[in-house]
Amino acid sequence: TCALPICFPVTITDLVSRVHINKPLRPFTISAVKPDATVDAGYLGTVTIAQTSGPGILSGTLSKSFANGIASFNDIRFSQVGTYTFTITGSDLPPINHTVQVAPAMTMTEMIVPRFIKSNVANNRVPTFALVKFDNLLPNTQYRYITS
């Protein structure tokens, strides 16, 4: 916690509000900033993430030291579906509350995967075809599906 007016302002970069169960949040950073909004590379301290509500358990590395004014988190995850709130705190830093909606695990169902495909024009390629269904996708999220 900080005692005003000695609080260092912070910026948080890439902290998302939606994630699938048991998948880590996208890596995010917390930066101590100077009054001119540049990173304070000389800032030393620790930042801690503490769960304040939610149906399951918040896990991962929940405390990090600042290095060159930046603390990076890359393994924060949640154990159950639901809405979680956590607080980010540190010495001389204002507390920040954040809410994350945790969705069920994404699933893929094979609808049609033929055993054989006949093609008159293959152009030296093996034709491929499959019809699959994806459930529990998050809106406005990019997914990559790669066949082999």
Side-chain angles (χ1 to χ4, degrees):
T1 60
C2 65
L4 294 174
I6 311 174
C7 287
F8 279 82
V10 295
T11 59
I12 300 177
T13 307
D14 296 327
L15 181 56
V16 297
S17 298
R18 296 182 315 248
V19 70
H20 288 289
I21 187 171
N22 293 322
K23 296 291 182 185
L25 286 174
R26 178 184 309 152
F28 64 94
T29 59
I30 301 170
S31 304
V33 294
K34 299 177 191 175
D36 66 358
T38 60
V39 174
D40 184 354
Y43 181 80
L44 301 174
T46 302
V47 64
T48 301
I49 297 174
Q51 181 177 342
T52 54
S53 69
I57 298 170
L58 166 73
S59 64
T61 306
L62 302 177
S63 186
K64 293 273 185 123
S65 296
F66 281 88
N68 296 319
I70 299 172
S72 298
F73 291 85
N74 63 0
D75 64 349
I76 304 299
R77 60 182 73 222
F78 304 88
S79 66
Q80 292 183 22
V81 172
T83 302
Y84 292 76
T85 301
F86 57 85
T87 303
I88 300 168
T89 58
S91 56
D92 299 327
L93 299 176
I96 299 168
N97 294 314
H98 187 71
T99 300
V100 174
Q101 183 64 43
V102 179
M106 182 184 66
T107 60
M108 181 184 84
T109 305
E110 297 175 348
M111 306 295 283
I112 300 173
V113 180
R115 188 168 178 186
F116 302 103
I117 296 178
K118 182 178 179 180
S119 172
N120 290 333
V121 182
N123 295 332
N124 297 324
R125 298 181 321 169
V126 176
T128 59
F129 171 83
L131 176 63
V132 296
K133 177 182 173 187
F134 294 96
D135 290 307
N136 301 323
L137 299 180
L138 297 173
N140 301 316
T141 302
Q142 182 180 31
Y143 293 91
R144 292 185 174 91
Y145 175 68
I146 301 170
T147 61
S148 56

